[in-house]
Amino acid sequence: MQPGRPALRVAVADDAMLLREGIGKVLADGGLEVVASVSSGEELADVVEKGAVDVAVLDIRMPPHFRDEGILALERLRESGSQVGVLLLSMYATPEYAMRALAAGAGTGYLLKERVSEPRTLVAAVETVSGGGSVVDPEVVAQLIQRPRGDEPLSRLTERELSVLECMAQGNSNAGISRQLFLGVKTVETHVGNIMQKLGLKDSPDNHRRVLAVLAYLGSR
Amino acid sequence: MTAPGARPPARLSPARWAAWLVVIIGGVAASLAMEVSGWYASPAFVRPEVAYQTLHSAVPWVFGICAIVGLQLGEKRLPIVMMIGLTYLWIPQLFFSVIDQVGWLWPLVQSIDLAWALLLGMIALAYPRGRFVGRVEWAVVIVGVGASLVRLAFVLSSDSATPATCGCAPSPYGFWGDLTTFLLGDLIYRIFGAILVMFVAVRQFLGWLRGSSPTRSVAFVMPIGLLAWLLALIVEAVSFGTTAGPDQRSAGLVVTTTSGPVSIVSLFAVASIPICYIAGSVHLRNTRGRVADLMSITRDGADRELWRESLARTLRDPGLEVYWWDDARGAYTDSESRRVELPVEADAPTRTLLPIAAGDGSPIAVIRHDRALTENTRLLDGVSTALRLTVDNGELRTEIQRTLAQVRESRQRIVEASDETRKRLERDLHDGSQQQLVALAIQLRTIVSAADAEGRTEIGAELESALDRLGVALRELRELARGIHPTALVEGGLPLALPDLASRCPIPVSTEIDLHERMPELVEATAWFVTAECLANIARHSSARQAWLGAESDDAELRLSIRDNGVGGASTLAGSGITGLADRVEAIGGTLELHSPPGEGTTIRVRLPLAPPLRPGLA
């Protein structure tokens, strides 16, 4: 949280009261303003509609069916044209799910629920999605990278390139990657260019598109 | 109907056949020997015309042949024995010329020389059942046999012939009377016999007149044969009574008026009776054969009206009606399901009812048929049996289908229940332990922050390591929950869970998933389970380099296809994992098809109906 800027207004949706409170506390401790704490996707939609929310943090499995209500809520928000940041929390790391969530549009994140015990990760993710960035849980990316493939262009990547690719898949921008891997931005750009070329992907100045492309590549076999 | 009538006679063994043939040929040969020896022993002036004698000799042949045919057809033994007996008892009058010097023999032979007529009458009486039924028939038999015994005693004991009158050896048995009393007794016997034959003939004729049955089409020969024979008997008796006298008898023991057309007719009439018997039987047999067609009609599930029509056609009784027992209404109904009050025979005197009951005595149907058909016991037995069998068959089939449906339902319930249990377990983990642990992690993190803020870094470090262990515990719990019930399935259905499964397989799996709507949970769970097992099998056994997973659905079913390019040779034999898969698939009404030639990879195709077949409301 940078001083001088108004605190991000966050709405939390989770049907488990204990977690809702915990998440709210973590976010508040991180300097964010928790403006609503609800237990279903519908209530969240009402809150977002009122326009007083920058980011929604929501559980995927919620009433009434305990299936994919969170992701449905996200899709409805995007359909209605809302650009509010959405961070989905899930007990399980499911790549296809992460891809479905990100496909809904920019400003979307997908994190394992247990990340809420890492305040910095959670707050950073909320801030990223509020700014239109993408967040994908490292575990999801790890699963995707480990997927068996018939043809293996990933093996042509250097170890460093692989790390960069992982960061890209997690939604990081070049600047983010350079911070995370302690590399110069120019170096990162070179690596990204090489990776995209080796994988036969088109680089895109739009970070969200790049994440989608990388995820789609990793998700395909 | 009486059951014994329906039982076909056992097949004859070759030895028994030979024995029967010896007996039959013996009779025919004995008769022929009597004819020939009598012819040569008699003086020319008492010999009848050659034509007559030839015809007379042919009669036992007809009986013998009919007996053989009857045996082959498996006819009742009684008429066959009587036919064979007749060949032995067909004693030509000329034969007495051979034995008239043997004093002890000829009276014995003479006493039974008309026994053939008794047998003939009994054969006609037994037609077509092959046995005597009812008091009237038994009374006729007893009277006939009784009269013949009386005659036997009478002929044997009367001193009818002396060397003076016939030139034969004196009878050692005779002790009273003379030729006149003998002739009178003989005449009375003949007239009595004629009356009995008349009675049988009239009965047969009336039965034929009443009948709309097959007997009418063929068995008219029987009553006509009987009538012809009757006529001949009467003429003979009358001419015997008027013309026979001491003068004629003086020529020998010949007591016959063997000449003229009447006697020829008589021979034809006698010979026609076994032929009628056998021909009628054959015809009835054909009809019974058609009863078998009735069974196939019923087996094909034809309606009741069609069955009635076929039965009416088979029995040649167009007015035949079948009333079916309706258990629900507790009454008989006709083929249009109208209630029928029984008995209905009162309104038509020529109709009678044949109730048919199942093996346990419960009613099946009542057949209202022409009374004349009751003559045809075996045919009606066939019909009853056919109907009973088909009804029993149908009930068995219904029973099996019901049991099968129950078994299927219970199998489906078991699968559902286990599925439900797993789901609940996963849900409990998700909503309970996992949430609790995450909340605990948040709490610990807060304490870490607080400890760090207070500078108590050693506590903070310890709590950090506890948090790490908590993270491990959470990860393990996650895997556990995933194993219990596919979480991807819970959250995203098959479109999410199948690619997720494929991605976890160590062998590259290319997927082609075309699923839109969420499907019934049981179908999704089954599809997931099958796919998971197949992919695990591919990873473990196939040595494949690549696998393909296809899934598509329409409104009615979900189709899965899992293929690999491995070693093939998988089988559905008991004990293989595929049997378990097939069980699981079939439990919800689906099918599993395995194609796995050695060396050519394995393809498994699964079809799962979206609506469970047994309980449509389940979905």
Side-chain angles (χ1 to χ4, degrees):
Chain A
M1 168 87 199
Q2 287 141 22
R5 238 171 62 185
L8 285 173
R9 294 161 300 171
V10 184
V12 179
D14 194 315
D15 58 303
M17 208 258 282
L18 202 60
L19 275 179
R20 208 160 61 220
E21 302 293 305
I23 293 166
K25 191 168 185 312
V26 170
L27 291 174
D29 288 351
L32 306 177
E33 187 190 350
V34 178
V35 293
S37 189
V38 298
S39 61
S40 74
E42 274 122 57
E43 289 170 85
L44 180 79
D46 288 346
V47 172
V48 172
E49 212 172 300
K50 286 183 187 129
V53 175
D54 299 315
V55 177
V57 176
L58 68 160
D59 187 13
I60 285 187
R61 239 163 119 176
M62 278 191 297
H65 302 299
F66 298 96
R67 278 182 186 167
D68 54 354
E69 283 76 9
I71 210 155
L72 287 175
L74 161 69
E75 282 164 355
R76 272 199 299 272
L77 280 176
R78 293 291 182 249
E79 267 168 38
S80 68
S82 169
Q83 295 300 314
V84 68
V86 175
L87 181 62
L88 289 163
L89 296 180
S90 168
M91 202 58 98
Y92 307 100
T94 314
E96 270 70 21
Y97 234 29
M99 290 194 260
R100 185 176 155 201
L102 261 65
T108 310
Y110 178 95
L111 276 189
L112 266 181
K113 223 176 210 179
E114 60 196 66
R115 305 282 177 230
V116 299
S117 65
E118 301 162 20
R120 272 188 300 276
T121 313
L122 185 65
V123 171
V126 169
E127 283 170 349
T128 306
V129 295
S130 78
S134 312
V135 175
V136 177
D137 196 278
E139 169 128 357
V140 170
V141 175
Q143 278 188 26
L144 281 173
I145 293 212
Q146 281 158 20
R147 271 189 185 177
R149 283 167 190 80
D151 173 36
E152 194 59 275
L154 285 190
S155 61
R156 294 202 295 271
L157 298 186
T158 65
E159 208 149 301
R160 175 63 76 187
E161 284 168 348
L162 218 52
S163 308
V164 173
L165 179 68
E166 260 180 80
C167 286
M168 283 162 72
Q170 286 169 20
N172 289 296
S173 62
N174 287 356
I177 298 171
S178 78
R179 271 198 302 278
Q180 205 161 330
L181 300 179
F182 306 106
L183 298 169
V185 177
K186 283 275 169 211
T187 319
V188 171
E189 279 173 3
T190 314
H191 282 312
V192 168
N194 288 343
I195 293 166
M196 298 308 256
Q197 195 207 334
K198 283 184 183 175
L199 301 187
L201 296 176
K202 258 204 183 121
D203 198 1
S204 163
D206 177 7
N207 191 50
H208 180 68
R209 279 213 192 139
R210 189 174 81 179
V211 177
L212 282 181
V214 171
L215 287 180
Y217 175 80
L218 293 174
S220 69
R221 267 139 295 176
Chain B
M1 285 285 93
T2 46
R7 194 164 46 229
R11 275 205 163 276
L12 287 175
S13 68
R16 285 183 160 252
W17 252 117
W20 278 107
L21 277 179
V22 167
V23 174
I24 292 168
I25 292 169
V28 175
S31 155
L32 190 64
M34 288 191 277
E35 299 274 1
V36 173
S37 60
W39 178 266
Y40 286 110
S42 306
F45 67 94
V46 297
R47 288 178 186 165
E49 295 161 31
V50 177
Y52 174 87
Q53 186 69 15
T54 312
L55 273 179
H56 194 271
S57 316
V59 168
W61 287 84
V62 173
F63 277 81
I65 289 166
C66 285
I68 291 172
V69 174
L71 276 174
Q72 256 169 349
L73 290 175
E75 274 300 320
K76 286 262 162 51
R77 292 287 179 265
L78 179 68
I80 290 171
V81 168
M82 291 195 291
M83 285 179 199
I84 297 170
L86 197 138
T87 62
Y88 282 91
L89 294 173
W90 189 251
I91 301 163
Q93 293 298 324
L94 291 178
F95 183 60
F96 287 101
S97 307
V98 180
I99 55 171
D100 62 359
Q101 294 312 313
V102 188
W104 63 270
L105 180 61
W106 70 257
L108 287 177
V109 175
Q110 194 184 33
S111 67
I112 55 165
D113 69 343
L114 286 179
W116 63 266
L118 176 69
L119 286 179
L120 192 64
M122 280 172 25
I123 292 171
L125 189 63
Y127 179 81
R129 298 182 193 84
R131 60 205 166 95
F132 305 117
V133 175
R135 285 185 189 177
V136 177
E137 290 187 6
W138 276 111
V140 171
V141 170
I142 289 165
V143 169
V145 172
S148 299
L149 288 175
V150 168
R151 177 180 183 266
L152 188 145
F154 174 81
V155 172
L156 212 54
S157 61
S158 75
D159 198 7
S160 60
T162 59
T165 53
C166 69
C168 48
S171 162
Y173 316 109
F175 56 86
W176 67 281
D178 54 17
L179 188 61
T180 318
T181 50
F182 169 83
L183 289 175
L184 188 66
D186 212 44
L187 182 66
I188 290 170
Y189 176 74
R190 281 165 189 268
I191 290 170
F192 192 75
I195 291 169
L196 277 186
V197 172
M198 192 189 305
F199 181 79
V200 174
V202 167
R203 250 174 83 84
Q204 288 275 1
F205 190 68
L206 287 180
W208 175 76
L209 271 185
R210 272 203 315 258
S212 51
S213 64
T215 30
R216 200 162 181 169
S217 53
V218 160
F220 65 93
V221 198
M222 182 63 102
I224 286 178
L226 275 174
L227 287 176
W229 183 42
L230 178 67
L231 183 72
L233 275 179
I234 292 168
V235 172
E236 267 185 84
V238 169
S239 66
F240 177 78
T242 50
T243 61
D247 302 342
Q248 202 180 357
R249 286 184 61 82
S250 65
L253 282 168
V254 182
V255 187
T256 182
T257 55
T258 48
S259 64
V262 171
S263 50
I264 300 284
V265 168
S266 168
L267 286 181
F268 272 108
V270 167
S272 75
I273 282 172
I275 294 174
C276 293
Y277 193 101
I278 296 299
S281 275
V282 168
H283 185 78
L284 289 183
R285 207 167 291 271
N286 286 342
T287 325
R288 275 203 296 280
R290 286 203 297 273
V291 172
D293 299 341
L294 285 177
M295 291 186 71
S296 61
I297 286 176
T298 321
R299 200 167 44 237
D300 294 343
D303 63 12
R304 293 180 160 183
E305 178 52 27
L306 181 60
W307 201 85
R308 187 203 69 80
E309 277 172 19
S310 325
L311 184 62
R313 208 165 42 239
T314 305
L315 298 182
R316 298 195 182 176
D317 181 2
L320 179 138
E321 283 291 345
V322 183
Y323 305 119
W324 302 87
W325 178 254
D326 186 338
D327 241 351
R329 292 152 86 176
Y332 287 97
T333 55
D334 63 13
S335 36
E336 268 118 53
S337 291
R338 284 188 301 258
R339 195 188 172 98
V340 176
E341 289 302 332
L342 296 179
V344 287
E345 54 191 318
D347 59 343
T350 63
R351 301 263 128 192
T352 191
L353 295 178
L354 171 66
I356 295 168
D360 59 2
S362 57
I364 295 173
V366 166
I367 297 174
R368 181 168 172 268
H369 60 81
D370 195 297
R371 194 180 288 276
L373 284 176
T374 40
E375 303 281 312
N376 200 339
T377 327
R378 279 204 197 169
L379 183 60
L380 287 177
D381 280 347
V383 170
S384 307
T385 312
L387 190 55
R388 202 175 297 129
L389 272 177
T390 45
V391 167
D392 284 354
N393 200 1
E395 277 173 2
L396 270 178
R397 193 165 15 176
T398 317
E399 172 95 28
I400 287 170
Q401 276 166 348
R402 201 168 46 228
T403 313
L404 199 61
Q406 280 168 354
V407 169
R408 283 200 182 124
E409 254 180 66
S410 80
R411 187 165 67 164
Q412 190 173 321
R413 274 199 302 274
I414 290 168
V415 170
E416 274 164 26
S418 90
D419 204 54
E420 196 54 45
T421 310
R422 285 162 161 270
K423 217 161 60 194
R424 205 174 49 239
L425 208 55
E426 190 272 339
R427 175 103 165 261
D428 289 349
L429 276 177
H430 179 270
D431 294 349
S433 317
Q434 285 175 306
Q435 305 272 31
Q436 291 280 355
L437 289 180
V438 171
L440 180 64
I442 294 171
Q443 203 180 347
L444 282 177
R445 178 62 64 192
T446 318
I447 300 171
V448 170
S449 308
D452 284 350
E454 286 178 25
R456 301 168 71 174
T457 45
E458 71 286 358
I459 295 183
E462 267 187 49
L463 284 175
E464 280 286 359
S465 86
L467 266 170
D468 286 347
R469 287 216 301 281
L470 193 53
V472 173
L474 267 169
R475 241 190 319 280
E476 282 178 2
L477 200 55
R478 206 160 57 214
E479 288 307 311
L480 181 66
R482 204 200 297 280
I484 289 171
H485 189 79
T487 50
L489 190 58
V490 174
E491 291 179 352
L494 287 176
L496 182 66
L498 290 183
D500 181 58
L501 263 181
S503 73
R504 286 167 201 283
C505 182
I507 289 162
V509 183
S510 81
T511 55
E512 194 170 325
I513 312 256
D514 185 16
L515 303 167
H516 304 291
E517 301 294 312
R518 287 294 299 256
M519 277 161 268
E521 281 180 3
L522 197 59
V523 174
E524 288 196 332
T526 307
W528 186 88
F529 178 81
V530 169
T531 310
E533 277 295 308
C534 289
L535 291 179
N537 280 342
I538 290 173
R540 250 176 275 151
H541 310 299
S542 75
S543 315
R545 291 179 315 284
Q546 173 78 36
W548 292 264
L549 167 63
E552 55 174 357
S553 69
D554 53 32
D555 292 342
E557 63 175 15
L558 164 67
R559 289 177 294 276
L560 285 174
S561 124
I562 302 128
R563 184 162 66 85
D564 68 60
N565 58 3
V567 294
S571 82
T572 48
L573 292 179
S576 82
I578 294 166
T579 319
L581 289 185
D583 284 351
R584 178 114 194 213
V585 166
E586 280 158 19
I588 62 164
T591 57
L592 183 145
E593 197 183 302
L594 172 76
H595 182 68
S596 185
E600 290 175 38
T602 300
T603 304
I604 289 178
R605 286 198 182 80
V606 176
R607 288 162 175 269
L608 299 171
L610 296 192
L614 301 164
R615 291 190 284 160
L618 199 81

